[in-house]
Structure formats: structure tokens, C-alpha cells
Amino acid sequence: MIPGKDTTQAGKNEASKEKFGTFALFDIEHFLRRILKNWYWFVLMLVTGYAISWVYSKYYAQSIYASNLSLSVSNNTSSYFTPNQSINFIWGQGGNQDGIYLKKMLLSRSHNEFLVKELDLFVNYSTKGVIKSTYLDKTDSPIFLEIDKKHVQQVNYPITLIPKSNGAYEVVLPEEGQSVNLYNYETEGFQNINAYARPANKVIRINEWYSAPNLRFRLVYNPVLPKIKFENIIVNLGTVNQTVNDIVSTIGVDFDKEISTIMIITKKGYNLNSTVNFLNKSVAELQKKRLEDKNIVNKNTAVYLQGNLNNIRKKLDSSAAVVNYLKTSEKLYDIKDRDEKSLTVIKELEAKKADIISKISSLDDIRRTLESQNFDKMIATNAAGFQDGMFSATVTELKALYTKRAEMALIYKPGSEPMKEINRLISEARLGSNGSLKSYYDKYYDEISKIDRKVAEANSDLSAYPEKERRYLDAERGYNMIEATYNSLLGRQNETKMNVATNQSDITVIDPAKNLGQGPIGPNVKLAKTGIIFGMLLLPVLFILIGEVLDNKIRNIKELLNATKIPLLGVIGNNSNENMLTVLEQPKSSVSEAFRGIRASVRFLMDNSEEKGKVILVTSSIGGEGKTYISINLASVLGLSDKKTILLGMDLRKPKIFGDFKIDNKYGISNYLTGEVGIDQIINKTKIPNLDVATSGPIPPNPSELLMSQRNIQFIEELKEIYDFIIIDSPPVGLVADSYELMKYSDANIYVVRHEYTEKYMLKMITEKYHNDEIAHLGLIYNDYTTKQGYGYGYGYGYGYGYGYGYGYFDEDKNYKEPLLIRIRNKVQAILNKK
């Protein structure tokens, strides 16, 4: 049975229900083989990727470093500028409020802006080699650049300083890029100047001013001479705002998971020394500021409490005089049957009330100070009986916002967008602070109401006293209340004086930032190198994949048979001969053997019950697929088997056969069909005794009409009486329909598919006609199949006639070199067999 042919009608009917002619969009097997075939591209991309990654890591990757500083925040502070860790003891506020406040301070604009201005951090130093730039810390540079802040400066404009002899430096500016929009460090704003020519390069000495329309600076020596000498120093100036934003974006603050009062501050940057110096300076300044704030607030509080004590002292003396007068004049110092229990309760309640009223008075002072924006006169919140970290942070923010608004008012108009924005921020902060104060007012007034109700209840027990005695008791209660207020203020004053006397920063550095030779934290060079190498290796895969998806050619025999369900007659290898007469000139080749196999397979397509000659029609989709080559060699192998055979060149539009057989094409089938010559004049003998050839003849103007004419049908019938086999080299069916008409009179139809040439979509029509029973006795020949892929590519050994070499069996195999994979396999097998 011909492979793939189902001779049962049931099978044919079942097959007709299937969807034929559909090929897979992607052939994974061929894709993998193409990858193996193009291995050298992967080696090239691997080497290229490694080279690129090496250059990137050595010359382009900017290392990012990080340093850490850990500190502890104590909980003995008394100022809302330095909020207490225990503020949650009254109002149930949880969390590390003091740590949150300190974090806010570390990341605040005001704190970092102070550092930027104090340390001139807007002056950035670097040095450049052949390719890569390296960022420097200020202390790494042999000289410092000191700008004239009264002069406008161009920012983000590289200034190159090249060392010269005798301590001089050449100032080299870019060839272009000078701007008329310059920055003023005093107003922190930009202003325009008139156009100017590029400043010339100039050699200056230390402490000599360099002046240009867009720059004014001088160089000063670094008091600590760096160990490394640089061929150049590149200085870039930045704006204060830009520098502050860059710094804040690189600072991280975390809290210890076990002890919430311990903070770990991290600073990232391109230079390790810069991060270390900044962290230590930042925390040192914060410690100093916190101590100053605490002292200011404590001193303000002490003055405030002393003033209140003086006033209360006067009231206390006056109240004592009234009580003494009543005792001596009215003889009321010994009241009989006094209700000491009720009097004691009233005394305690009124003492509490006096203390709360004192706190409300302090609240009033804090509120008035906020409204007047006179923050230098602020008193501590513990004078009002509370400590609230969030409130203190809001007040600190308000203070910074008011200061910033005053600075901005010198630059911007009142109705400008920046002024509107800062006014909005001030309103939000004031709303937050007023809301906090209101909550304490409400709390205190609620407590006073409760005390008043309890006092009223206790007073009901004293209503039976005579009027004079009740008057004395009221005077005594007033004295007690004033005395309680005095004692409360005196206690708070003593606490404040103690704080002033023993005050120290509540920030303790546990581990300062140090340069311990830490390695960079980024970028991840290994990951980047892996990504580059993988990306380069992915390029050939991508190109092969795109080519595979876009490629629509037949490459796989198995897929061909599964899609068409048409029998395969045989597979023909690549023709290495200079002409088409392979069977005649290379009879011992594997290709010739393949044609002998096809000769045997064709018999299964035909009805062998008739004794007349058999007509075998050979066609294909388009030209170039080898149908003429198949026709010639199939006719040759039939002729050599003592079967009287004739080859008809019926591709009248493109005659070919005559050249290989060296036959004159002056007269051929086209002449016979038009009646110009007889049948004997177009039949030519060949080297093979049993093989005759009828060439196409001159190209006629109406080839289709001639091929489908009754004279052509009679011509074929006459030949069937003379010859055993009539081989018709017909036109390709993908271009003209002539072959479909001729198939009605053929006994076997051969459709040629060429490896890596025939398009998949071209097989759809012939497949549909075959399964719709419009064409019978059809078989495929797979032509021009190469063996460089090795064993069994596409379909396996079953139909190997010519597509797999015989390893020395055939003549052309003597120079055959096995594929690499086959050679490796054979070597391994040989080693294993020896063992």
C-alpha cells in the first residue's frame, strides 16, 4: 500500500469530512533545527554581549553607595519643638510620635536647605577619564570652588579645571551651552541678562577671581591635601531647590523593630565619603538645633510661669488677708460642728479646678502666640499640662512655612501661584494646630463642668451653716483655690528650671556614619551583565522566530502528509548533476534509486486491469518545483526497465525537455495539434532504446485550447496503443487550469512539492479537489530534499529513497561527511561498545 493512502471508501468518506490543506502556523521542530544550524550566531552574540557588558560595567555603570547612621531619641524632653515620647499617656495617642517628628525634621526642606547652604552642597565635584565620569566628595578635591553669591551664576553648566604648573588651574568651559537665564543664590530665583559671547578659557591662580557674564568664582585650597591626584576636576553648580530635592530623595529613615526609639538613617549617593559626611553633619546640626529649641522654649516658659506666679502671689496675699480678718474680727476661726469631710472634698475639687484654669491660661498664651506668629515667644506645651508630638510638629511646620513665605514675598507677587500654594499650606497647618488646641480646650472645660457639679453637690451639705460662717468658709475656699494654683505653677516652674539647668540634646548617636570600604549597593552589575548577554543571545532567536513565522514554505514531510492526506510516492534528494538526466548519467546514485522506488509506487495508483498503456501526468503548483526534472527521470527509469515509454512536453508555454536530450524543438506537440505536421515528425528517439520524447514545439498563442482539444485527446489515445507508459510534463496547476482537464484522461497523477520552495497555501486547491473526488489516482513526490539536517528530518526513514545518504552504499556518498551530531553519537556508541 502507498503510504498515507486509505483505499477503503469508509476511510475516504471520513477523511472528506476533515479540514484539509491546513498547516501549522509554527513548526517547532524546524525552528529548533534552525537554531542549531545557526549556532555560530549565538557564539558571536555571546562574545559581543560579554564585551558590551564588560565595557558597561567598567566605563559606564555609575556605582551607588549607601552609608548608615543609628541614633536614639530620649524621652526627657519638655518642648513641643522636641516632642516627648510619652505624649500618649493622656489622650491615648499611640505610636512613636517623637520618632515621627524627628523623621519629619530630617526630611524637611528647612533642615536640608540649611545644610545645602551651610556646606555649599550645590557645588558638585567630579572627574572624567577617557569615557567614565567619577563623582567626588568635596573633601576628595584638591581645591574648592567658592562662588560669589552676589553675582548671577549659570547652573548645570560643567566647569572643567585642569591643573597647571605653580598651583594654577585652567578654566575650560563648554564650546556651547552658555545661557542668559542665570541663577541668583541670594534670591534663589532666575533672572535674564543680555546676550554675550562664550567666555574664553583662562588660567587662574588660587584665590584669584574668575569673572564672566555667566560665572564668578575663585579657587581655594583644600586644607586636607587628598592622596589622589586628578587630571581634571569638573564642577557643576545646581540650584538650592534642585539640590535639596535631590538630597531628600536619597535619604531613608527606618525604626528599629524591637526598640522604636532607635532610628536608622540611610543616605545614598555616587560617592561614599559624601554620604558619610552628610549624615554626620545632618545629625550634628539636628542635635544642636534641638538643644537650642529646647532651651529657648524652656526659658520662655520660665519667664511666663514667673510672671503668673507674681500675679498669683498678689492674689494669694490678698486672699490670706481676708481670711485673717474674718478670723480675728468675726471670731470665726473655730466653727463648731464643721463638716470636715465635705470641706475636704470641696478643697480637693477646687484645687483641681484651679490647676485646670491655670492650664487653660497657658493654652490661651500658646494660641495667642500662634495667631501673632511670634514663635520666639512660644512656651512649652507642658505649661498647659500636655505634650503632643503631632501638634509640636505642626507648629514647627508653621514656623518654617511663615519663614518661607516671607522669603518668597521678596520674589513673587501676592497673587502668584507660588504664593497661593504656600498660603494654602499655611492654612492647612493652622487648621491642624487649632484643631489640636480645641481638643484640649474641650477636654479642660469638660473637666471643669464635672468639678462644678461635684462642688455643687458638696455645697448642699453646707447650706445649714449661718451666714457669717458660710462667708468665712467661702473666703477660706477662695484662699485654698489660689494657693493650689500657686503651688501648681511653682511646681511647673521648678521643673522648667531643672530642665534649663540639666538640658542636653535628646538625640544620642549610637553608630555614626563611617567609610568602611562598603561596596556599592547598585546598580546590580551582575544582573545588568546577564541581561545584556541574554538580550544579545535573544536577538538571533528573535530573528529566526520572525523568519519562521513569516516563512510559509513546505519544510516538513510529516506535516505535509498530515495536512493533505495525499499519498507520498517518494522523496527525491538534491540533484548534484549539471543537467536533468540523473538516472542516465548517475544510475548508481541514491537519487536514481529513489526514482526506481517511485516507479514501483506509481503502480499502486493505477488500475492495472486494462492492457492499454498507462498515462502518468506530472504537475506542480508553480514553475521551478521540478516537475520537468521528475518527468524526465521517471520516463528514463521506466524506459530502462524495458517498458516502451514516451515523454510528452505538454507545458506549451514554457518548453524545456529538448535541451537535456539535445533534440531540435522546431517541430513539437504544438505543431501536431495545429495540424502542421504528422505524429511521426514530433516523436524523437533518445539514448534509451525504449524511451521516446515529444517536445512542446514553438509556443502557440492558444495553448489552453490546444491541450483541451479533441485532437489532443485522440493523440493520447493513439499513444496508449503504442506505448506502455505515457509521461506528460503538464503545466503547473497553480498558474493555469490545463492540467486539471488533462487529469481526466490520465491513469496516475503526480504532484511535485519542492522542499523549502513550495508555499503551503498553494496545496489547498489540489488537496480540496482530491478529497472532493474531483481528482483521482493522485500521489505526491517530495523533491530536492537535502540531507544536511541528518537522520530522519521531517518524516523518518520510511520513504527515504534518495533523501538519506547510504554512508558509502551509493557512488556519490564517497565524499559524504556525516553531520556533527551524528559523528558525536557514533563516537559515544563506539566508546560504550568497547567497554
Side-chain angles (χ1 to χ4, degrees):
M1 181 183 293
I2 299 174
K5 177 71 174 177
D6 190 348
T7 55
T8 64
Q9 186 63 34
K12 185 68 176 289
N13 292 338
E14 184 66 24
S16 64
K17 298 176 182 179
E18 299 178 10
K19 185 178 181 181
F20 299 103
T22 302
F23 290 84
L25 179 64
F26 181 73
D27 187 348
I28 183 66
E29 182 180 352
H30 185 260
F31 172 69
L32 294 176
R33 290 187 178 277
R34 284 191 65 180
I35 288 180
L36 293 175
K37 177 183 176 183
N38 292 278
W39 61 269
Y40 50 88
W41 281 109
F42 291 92
V43 174
L44 178 62
M45 290 298 102
L46 178 64
V47 174
T48 305
Y50 182 82
I52 293 173
S53 64
W54 184 84
V55 172
Y56 162 77
S57 62
K58 187 171 180 63
Y59 296 107
Y60 289 97
Q62 289 290 352
S63 298
I64 300 174
Y65 298 89
S67 57
N68 299 317
L69 182 148
S70 61
L71 56 84
S72 173
V73 186
S74 62
N75 59 359
N76 60 349
T77 136
S78 64
S79 168
Y80 59 88
F81 286 119
T82 54
N84 192 284
Q85 189 76 346
S86 59
I87 52 91
N88 56 355
F89 80 104
I90 296 179
W91 310 117
Q93 293 175 330
N96 183 5
Q97 299 294 334
D98 193 38
I100 293 173
Y101 164 76
L102 187 57
K103 177 178 179 180
K104 188 177 183 70
M105 284 297 298
L106 285 167
L107 299 176
S108 67
R109 176 179 177 81
S110 57
H111 175 69
N112 288 285
E113 186 174 316
F114 169 79
L115 292 173
V116 167
K117 294 178 179 178
E118 180 74 10
L119 304 177
D120 288 343
L121 297 179
F122 47 79
V123 182
N124 302 295
Y125 299 86
S126 64
T127 185
K128 184 174 177 62
V130 178
I131 299 177
K132 186 178 181 180
S133 294
T134 302
Y135 292 88
L136 304 176
D137 180 53
K138 181 178 179 180
T139 58
D140 296 330
S141 175
I143 45 93
F144 299 153
L145 187 143
E146 183 182 303
I147 66 170
D148 181 2
K149 294 184 179 180
K150 295 181 180 180
H151 190 281
V152 289
Q153 310 283 348
Q154 182 169 351
V155 295
N156 301 318
Y157 185 64
I159 305 166
T160 303
L161 306 173
I162 302 175
K164 298 296 181 180
S165 59
N166 300 322
Y169 283 84
E170 182 182 6
V171 179
V172 180
L173 301 179
E175 292 296 329
E176 55 184 19
Q178 60 270 16
S179 173
V180 296
N181 190 24
L182 306 180
Y183 186 74
N184 189 320
Y185 280 92
E186 288 190 332
T187 62
E188 297 182 24
F190 287 90
Q191 63 185 67
N192 291 325
I193 64 171
N194 296 327
Y196 57 93
R198 172 190 174 274
N201 299 343
K202 183 180 179 182
V203 177
I204 62 173
R205 297 186 177 276
I206 300 299
N207 292 320
E208 178 183 348
W209 286 97
Y210 174 88
S211 297
N214 59 338
L215 292 168
R216 179 171 167 78
F217 60 85
R218 67 176 179 176
L219 304 179
V220 297
Y221 275 125
N222 182 349
V224 181
L225 187 64
K227 297 179 180 179
I228 303 176
K229 293 185 179 181
F230 301 104
E231 295 182 359
N232 58 70
I233 302 294
I234 301 173
V235 182
N236 256 298
L237 301 179
T239 67
V240 172
N241 183 61
Q242 173 189 347
T243 306
V244 170
N245 291 337
D246 290 343
I247 288 175
V248 172
S249 66
T250 60
I251 299 175
V253 180
D254 294 309
F255 297 96
D256 187 86
K257 294 180 179 180
E258 297 179 355
I259 305 175
S260 61
T261 56
I262 294 179
M263 300 177 61
I264 297 95
I265 309 167
T266 304
K267 174 72 169 68
K268 298 177 182 178
Y270 292 115
N271 184 278
L272 183 57
N273 285 333
S274 294
T275 63
V276 170
N277 295 337
F278 177 85
L279 279 183
N280 291 330
K281 182 66 175 178
S282 177
V283 173
E285 289 297 328
L286 194 61
Q287 286 177 312
K288 181 180 176 181
K289 186 177 186 305
R290 295 265 286 187
L291 184 58
E292 291 174 353
D293 285 343
K294 287 171 65 176
N295 285 335
I296 290 174
V297 172
N298 283 327
K299 290 176 181 178
N300 290 342
T301 305
V303 172
Y304 168 78
L305 292 175
Q306 185 60 53
N308 281 356
L309 280 171
N310 292 337
N311 293 331
I312 294 297
R313 181 70 190 182
K314 293 177 182 179
K315 292 181 180 180
L316 187 61
D317 291 342
S318 176
S319 179
V322 171
V323 171
N324 289 331
Y325 170 77
L326 290 175
K327 280 184 177 182
T328 57
S329 64
E330 301 293 338
K331 308 296 182 181
L332 295 175
Y333 54 85
D334 186 18
I335 301 176
K336 294 181 180 181
D337 301 326
R338 283 169 56 113
D339 188 352
E340 294 296 338
K341 183 178 180 181
S342 297
L343 290 174
T344 301
V345 170
I346 291 173
K347 182 179 179 179
E348 292 175 353
L349 290 172
E350 289 183 340
K352 290 181 180 180
K353 181 176 179 180
D355 183 59
I356 293 173
I357 292 173
S358 174
K359 292 176 180 178
I360 291 175
S361 176
S362 299
L363 268 180
D364 292 338
D365 188 88
I366 292 173
R367 178 177 53 80
R368 285 192 297 268
T369 304
L370 282 176
E371 291 175 352
S372 64
Q373 303 173 24
N374 190 9
F375 293 96
D376 293 335
K377 298 296 183 182
M378 271 295 221
I379 64 171
T381 53
N382 61 359
F386 72 92
Q387 291 190 45
D388 187 335
M390 297 304 294
F391 171 74
S392 300
T394 303
V395 173
T396 304
E397 184 179 6
L398 258 178
K399 182 180 177 181
L401 288 172
Y402 280 128
T403 303
K404 188 62 180 178
R405 185 171 69 174
E407 295 173 357
M408 294 176 62
L410 301 174
I411 305 173
Y412 300 102
K413 295 181 179 179
S416 63
E417 288 301 321
M419 294 301 293
K420 289 181 180 178
E421 176 62 17
I422 198 165
N423 286 332
R424 183 187 66 80
L425 295 175
I426 289 174
S427 297
E428 290 181 357
R430 288 181 62 182
L431 185 64
S433 62
N434 291 335
S436 297
L437 291 180
K438 183 178 182 301
S439 67
Y440 293 112
Y441 274 117
D442 293 342
K443 181 70 175 181
Y444 289 155
Y445 283 129
D446 183 59
E447 290 186 4
I448 289 175
S449 298
K450 292 179 181 179
I451 290 173
D452 287 341
R453 287 195 296 271
K454 291 179 180 180
V455 170
E457 293 174 1
N459 277 333
S460 63
D461 297 334
L462 305 177
S463 58
Y465 282 97
E467 181 180 352
K468 286 199 306 180
E469 293 178 352
R470 279 190 284 110
R471 186 152 49 92
Y472 172 77
L473 291 175
D474 289 341
E476 187 180 49
R477 285 165 54 188
Y479 173 81
N480 291 335
M481 191 170 180
I482 296 172
E483 184 182 35
T485 302
Y486 182 82
N487 291 334
S488 175
L489 290 173
L490 191 62
R492 276 180 267 169
Q493 185 191 47
N494 291 334
E495 181 185 349
T496 301
K497 288 181 179 179
M498 183 63 71
N499 287 336
V500 172
T502 62
N503 226 356
Q504 60 182 5
S505 177
D506 56 342
I507 300 174
T508 304
V509 175
I510 300 175
D511 289 319
K514 289 184 179 180
N515 182 349
L516 301 175
Q518 301 96 311
I521 62 169
N524 192 332
V525 176
K526 288 185 178 180
L527 181 62
K529 290 174 71 173
T530 303
I532 292 172
I533 294 173
F534 180 77
M536 294 301 293
L537 290 174
L538 197 62
L539 283 178
V541 175
L542 186 61
F543 281 117
I544 293 173
L545 179 62
I546 293 173
E548 195 71 16
V549 172
L550 297 179
D551 186 8
N552 197 38
K553 293 182 173 58
I554 300 294
R555 301 180 183 275
N556 189 305
I557 301 175
K558 184 176 180 180
E559 183 186 17
L560 170 66
L561 298 182
N562 288 338
T564 62
K565 295 293 190 298
I566 299 175
L568 179 67
L569 302 178
V571 181
I572 305 299
N574 178 260
N575 177 26
S576 59
N577 198 24
E578 294 181 358
N579 56 40
M580 295 188 184
L581 304 177
T582 303
V583 171
L584 291 178
E585 297 187 2
Q586 295 180 336
K588 295 183 179 181
S589 67
S590 59
V591 175
S592 299
E593 187 62 29
F595 279 106
R596 296 185 186 99
I598 293 172
R599 176 184 63 190
S601 297
V602 169
R603 298 179 184 275
F604 291 98
L605 289 180
M606 299 181 292
D607 182 3
N608 297 308
S609 60
E610 296 184 10
E611 295 182 357
K612 289 185 177 181
K614 304 300 181 183
V615 178
I616 301 174
L617 182 142
V618 181
T619 187
S620 65
S621 301
I622 57 174
E625 292 175 310
K627 63 178 183 58
T628 301
Y629 173 69
I630 299 297
S631 302
I632 290 174
N633 286 281
L634 180 59
S636 298
V637 78
L638 287 171
L640 290 171
S641 62
D642 291 333
K643 299 294 182 181
K644 193 169 179 59
T645 306
I646 186 171
L647 174 61
L648 304 180
M650 287 196 174
D651 190 355
L652 304 183
R653 295 173 180 81
K654 197 173 182 180
K656 287 183 180 180
I657 294 176
F658 58 90
D660 294 283
F661 287 102
K662 298 179 181 180
I663 298 173
D664 187 4
N665 194 41
K666 181 178 181 181
Y667 297 107
I669 294 175
S670 60
N671 303 100
Y672 173 76
L673 295 179
T674 56
E676 298 178 32
V677 295
I679 191 171
D680 294 334
Q681 292 178 271
I682 65 171
I683 295 177
N684 303 280
K685 298 293 182 180
T686 66
K687 296 178 182 179
I688 302 174
N690 290 323
L691 176 61
D692 295 338
V693 175
T695 62
S696 301
I699 300 174
N702 56 343
S704 295
E705 287 78 0
L706 293 178
L707 291 176
M708 291 184 288
S709 64
Q710 189 61 35
R711 183 175 176 83
N712 189 29
I713 305 304
Q714 292 176 354
F715 173 59
I716 294 173
E717 291 296 329
E718 289 180 18
L719 294 177
K720 289 172 69 175
E721 299 294 336
I722 303 171
Y723 294 93
D724 296 316
F725 289 99
I726 298 94
I727 309 299
I728 299 178
D729 178 24
S730 67
V733 295
L735 302 177
V736 293
D738 301 349
S739 296
Y740 287 127
E741 294 298 324
L742 293 175
M743 286 180 184
K744 297 177 182 178
Y745 307 101
S746 63
D747 296 287
N749 300 298
I750 296 176
Y751 197 92
V752 180
V753 176
R754 184 175 178 181
H755 177 64
E756 294 186 345
Y757 186 89
T758 304
E759 299 282 349
K760 294 177 181 179
Y761 71 90
M762 294 178 179
L763 296 169
K764 188 171 182 61
M765 182 180 294
I766 191 70
T767 303
E768 289 178 350
K769 287 183 176 292
Y770 173 73
H771 290 286
N772 290 333
D773 295 327
E774 297 179 31
I775 299 174
H777 313 297
L778 180 65
L780 301 178
I781 290 180
Y782 198 72
N783 185 34
D784 197 26
Y785 187 72
T786 56
T787 59
K788 56 189 174 183
Q789 292 88 354
Y791 269 127
Y793 174 79
Y795 198 65
Y797 252 48
Y799 313 110
Y801 309 104
Y803 77 94
Y805 286 94
Y807 304 113
Y809 185 80
F810 298 107
D811 286 348
E812 72 269 31
D813 295 339
K814 57 187 177 182
N815 296 321
Y816 172 72
K817 188 177 181 180
E818 293 177 335
L820 177 62
L821 293 177
I822 301 300
R823 296 203 305 272
I824 294 174
R825 186 204 65 181
N826 292 339
K827 289 283 186 183
V828 173
Q829 287 180 346
I831 294 172
L832 293 176
N833 291 334
K834 287 181 180 180
K835 294 181 179 180

